[in-house]
Amino acid sequence: MSCFKKGVVVLFGFSAFGQSNLQEHEIHSYVQAQTEEIFDSLVAIRRDFHVYPEVSEQEKRTSEKITEYLTALGLEVKTGIGGYGVVGILKGERPGKSIAWRADIDAMPSNIPDVVAFESKNEGVRHICGHDVHTAIGLGIANVLSGQKDSLKGNVYFVFQPSEENYKGAKAMIDDGLFQKISADEIYGLHISPFPVGSIATKAGNIYAHTNRVEVVYQKSGNEDSLINYTKKLISGLQNVPADSEFWNPANLGDPEIGIENPNTVFKDFLAVKENFEIDQTNDQLVIKAYLHSDDKKPLDTFLTVLRKTLTDSEYSENLISADYSYEKAVVVNDKDLTEKTVNSIKEIYGEKSVIPLYGVVTADRGDDFAYFQKEIPGVYFFLGGANYETGMIPMPHSPDFAVDEESIKVGVNYFSSMIIERLKAE
Ligand SMILES: [Zn+2]
Ligand SMILES: [Zn+2]
């Protein structure tokens, strides 16, 4: 840890005397110098989390390490929020808006040996979703911005969230009064991804597919087989993705021609049915369930209307009890205005190539419970590139050979420290 005091003093002079373009950018040189200085220590911290991973709801050691680090930086620290959630509060010298940065901290159950030398010592648990990297970046941003404290207007909240993998932690923190303990105007966060290191990628609107479960309930009258066949066919027939589409292979998400970064992506304008129907039967009722994915909410609404009408008009209308969604996954939705502003400021500071615009959304049941924070306050979620195709390090979340180019820690701390500084300056 270091404070880079010299930078702080000079900067304060800049804001007092007005800001030219050059001066505006000076602060980001300090960000980069400070990041460079702490980079090795952040890598060491990341590897420590990697060696001692903890699954959802058991992140005791991880949260203690985070608390120690934030306390040493001089931040006010709140612990035990929604389980092992930790929040560090950085108060700028002058009043202003409040920005929250979220990092998820939990690991996953996995019995496959690590592909890195600093392998997990906690049997059956591994960081194969990169949350060790997310945590190190969150701490790095807290460190860098603490060094700029005297020139900051407003507050920054560092939200270290447990239990992302079971999709419970964000909601648990909110239910435990997170937004009463802090009053943030905007929230940001990232996930490591197989984009090349040095880049980030995002888009306005939703970034992961909507996932709904449709549930059709019938009164049984001895015709179960035909009810099941009819309903499966009907539901499958209402999707707009052909069975032989490249859409069905998640490996294509990163394809330069048809993946999410190409305007002609196959991962947009879709309503897709996962064909593994679940059938439940009681003495008198038959329940048929299926999961639907769409990049947009509207087709899901239309689907339900059409399904109900078709069922009501069908020869099975007498059997029909209900057709409804019994589950809707909370989905990450990026605020349009903030996406534009943050992307532009990062591009301006780190170059046009630093941001990959996205056109499609991620399918294959992926998601992030960061979605719950965005239901409370506007925010943006970014993919951080962590792949190095020359060394073969590809951070594909949950894959057994998950590996990250640790340069991505530097990129993450630089880009998002700068982004938060720019947001605090904005009206
Ligand atoms: Zn995960
Ligand atoms: Zn994850």
Side-chain angles (χ1 to χ4, degrees):
M1 179 179 40
S2 79
C3 281
F4 217 75
K5 281 284 177 214
K6 210 170 141 206
V8 172
V9 174
V10 177
L11 262 168
F12 197 70
F14 282 159
S15 40
F17 295 108
Q19 296 162 332
S20 76
N21 223 7
L22 182 79
Q23 287 162 339
E24 288 239 331
H25 280 82
E26 201 75 16
I27 190 166
H28 301 297
S29 312
Y30 295 135
V31 164
Q32 289 161 58
Q34 174 71 354
T35 303
E36 196 62 50
E37 204 170 311
I38 62 170
F39 177 59
D40 289 346
S41 68
L42 292 177
V43 168
I45 288 165
R46 180 261 161 155
R47 292 184 180 187
D48 175 72
F49 289 133
H50 196 92
V51 172
Y52 301 102
E54 295 169 305
V55 293
S56 303
E57 298 179 48
Q58 293 177 31
E59 308 91 337
K60 185 169 183 294
R61 180 187 184 276
T62 309
S63 76
E64 284 166 2
K65 291 277 165 190
I66 293 165
T67 304
E68 255 170 51
Y69 192 94
L70 297 175
T71 307
L73 286 177
L75 303 196
E76 182 188 336
V77 184
K78 293 182 190 291
T79 59
I81 307 174
Y84 288 110
V86 180
V87 177
I89 302 175
L90 174 64
K91 291 189 176 129
E93 264 319 293
R94 290 165 293 155
K97 62 162 58 168
S98 294
I99 305 293
W101 177 264
R102 175 274 207 162
D104 46 3
I105 66 172
D106 54 332
M108 295 187 67
S110 167
N111 285 311
I112 302 165
D114 254 319
V115 293
V116 288
F118 44 98
E119 55 192 17
S120 167
K121 287 187 179 159
N122 292 350
E123 214 190 311
V125 187
R126 288 171 70 209
H127 268 295
I128 50 171
C129 204
H131 300 186
D132 49 346
V133 174
H134 303 174
T135 308
I137 291 172
L139 294 174
I141 299 172
N143 187 325
V144 168
L145 294 184
S146 295
Q148 306 292 340
K149 193 178 164 196
D150 296 347
S151 63
L152 292 184
K153 208 172 77 172
N155 304 320
V156 188
Y157 301 112
F158 298 94
V159 178
F160 291 89
Q161 181 215 305
S163 306
E164 191 285 326
E165 290 298 346
N166 62 11
Y167 231 71
K168 288 182 179 169
K171 195 164 181 306
M173 288 190 88
I174 294 165
D175 291 347
D176 204 8
L178 174 69
F179 290 114
Q180 282 78 55
K181 295 181 204 321
I182 65 170
S183 66
D185 300 306
E186 300 164 14
I187 188 159
Y188 300 92
L190 62 76
H191 205 292
I192 198 82
S193 73
F195 287 107
V197 66
S199 61
I200 57 168
T202 195
K203 71 191 271 291
N206 62 304
I207 200 158
Y208 293 107
H210 288 272
T211 301
N212 283 20
R213 182 179 58 214
V214 65
E215 199 168 306
V216 184
V217 185
Y218 293 108
Q219 182 73 43
K220 280 160 78 167
S221 61
N223 57 348
E224 285 78 70
D225 283 352
S226 45
L227 275 175
I228 292 168
N229 287 337
Y230 171 75
T231 311
K232 280 184 175 178
K233 219 173 138 191
L234 172 60
I235 290 176
S236 303
L238 289 174
Q239 69 183 329
N240 67 1
V241 185
D244 61 350
S245 169
E246 303 279 17
F247 169 90
W248 297 109
N249 182 2
N252 288 327
L253 282 165
D255 185 282
E257 302 300 320
I258 56 171
I260 56 174
E261 64 189 281
N262 192 296
N264 299 317
T265 178
V266 296
F267 299 99
K268 68 173 181 185
D269 305 325
F270 61 88
L271 176 70
V273 179
K274 251 182 104 180
E275 304 272 333
N276 52 346
F277 290 87
E278 289 171 29
I279 315 285
D280 290 337
Q281 299 205 43
T282 60
N283 281 345
D284 56 349
Q285 283 191 0
L286 166 69
V287 183
I288 302 169
K289 298 175 202 169
Y291 283 88
L292 309 183
H293 300 298
S294 178
D295 58 317
D296 193 11
K297 213 174 156 14
K298 244 192 228 149
L300 290 166
D301 296 339
T302 312
F303 171 89
L304 198 58
T305 311
V306 175
L307 179 72
R308 281 175 176 159
K309 175 146 180 32
T310 314
L311 287 169
T312 314
D313 293 346
S314 76
E315 58 180 301
Y316 302 107
S317 62
E318 301 245 305
N319 291 95
L320 182 67
I321 294 174
S322 63
D324 226 322
Y325 288 132
S326 54
Y327 168 77
E328 286 186 35
K329 192 171 186 171
V331 68
V332 170
V333 182
N334 290 334
D335 182 87
K336 192 168 178 285
D337 180 48
L338 294 180
T339 304
E340 228 170 78
K341 285 177 170 154
T342 51
V343 160
N344 285 342
S345 66
I346 292 169
K347 276 203 235 171
E348 204 177 295
I349 301 158
Y350 293 98
E352 193 67 26
K353 286 200 172 137
S354 57
V355 185
I356 299 170
L358 297 182
Y359 299 91
V361 311
V362 177
T363 54
D365 284 347
R366 295 197 189 277
D368 194 309
D369 72 349
F370 183 76
Y372 287 100
F373 296 126
Q374 289 177 313
K375 283 175 185 251
E376 305 292 320
I377 50 172
V380 185
Y381 177 91
F382 299 86
F383 290 124
L384 172 69
N388 184 326
Y389 288 91
E390 275 162 29
T391 58
M393 285 189 279
I394 319 283
M396 180 58 82
H398 302 193
S399 87
D401 54 356
F402 180 94
V404 181
D405 186 332
E406 288 170 325
E407 277 292 307
S408 61
I409 296 174
K410 193 183 288 180
V411 174
V413 175
N414 275 336
Y415 287 18
F416 296 110
S417 298
S418 289
M419 182 199 81
I420 292 170
I421 288 169
E422 291 301 310
R423 286 311 302 150
L424 288 174
K425 275 196 219 160
E427 286 314 308

